[in-house]
Amino acid sequence: MPRTAFTSDAAPKPKNPRVSQGVKAGNIVMPSGQVGRKLDGTMPQDIEGQARVAFENVIAVLAAGGATEADVVHVRLYLTDQEQISVVNQVFDDTFSEPSPARTAIFVELRPGTLIEVDALAVVA
């Protein structure tokens, strides 16, 4: 099954030029990991702000690939501070309709100032 790259002007482009912003293969749509960076290059300083922007970026890239939040079946969260999971849970709940997608939370070290990165897997009809 061939894969096709796509981009969205509604989310920041990857800093690495060799990475696709999103890829579609058949009915699977997958954005690259998104951080809380806005189009103007700024990033909120708090976890809630970064999480909201990261999820907005994921949804924007998914839309460019023909998917919506309702098509998301799995989300991966990469967090720098496990104490912030409750804040991210609220943003997750605000972003996705029921039934919620499956989710994995991984605690990692990210670039300085980056508190969260999010990716998702969507399946479209």
Side-chain angles (χ1 to χ4, degrees):
M1 174 180 330
R3 65 179 181 254
T4 306
F6 60 88
T7 62
S8 170
D9 290 332
K13 303 294 185 273
K15 289 190 175 191
N16 183 338
R18 294 179 301 279
V19 174
S20 298
Q21 191 181 30
V23 173
K24 185 171 186 177
N27 63 341
I28 298 170
V29 180
M30 178 90 185
S32 284
Q34 299 293 309
V35 298
R37 185 167 38 100
K38 298 178 182 182
L39 284 172
D40 66 6
T42 63
M43 190 178 296
Q45 298 299 305
D46 64 307
I47 187 65
E48 181 179 1
Q50 284 193 26
R52 288 198 185 282
V53 173
F55 281 116
E56 289 168 5
N57 289 342
V58 165
I59 299 302
V61 176
L62 286 169
T68 69
E69 65 80 22
D71 298 316
V72 174
V73 296
H74 189 263
V75 174
R76 272 186 298 260
L77 306 173
Y78 303 90
L79 301 162
T80 61
D81 182 356
Q82 61 185 342
E83 299 298 319
Q84 299 295 324
I85 192 70
S86 62
V87 174
V88 176
N89 285 341
Q90 183 58 57
V91 178
F92 181 90
D93 290 345
D94 292 346
T95 302
F96 296 101
S97 58
E98 293 290 331
S100 295
R103 188 183 86 183
T104 302
I106 305 161
F107 300 100
V108 298
E109 183 176 334
L110 296 170
R111 290 184 176 171
T114 302
L115 305 175
I116 186 170
E117 185 169 341
V118 178
D119 70 33
L121 176 69
V123 179
V124 294

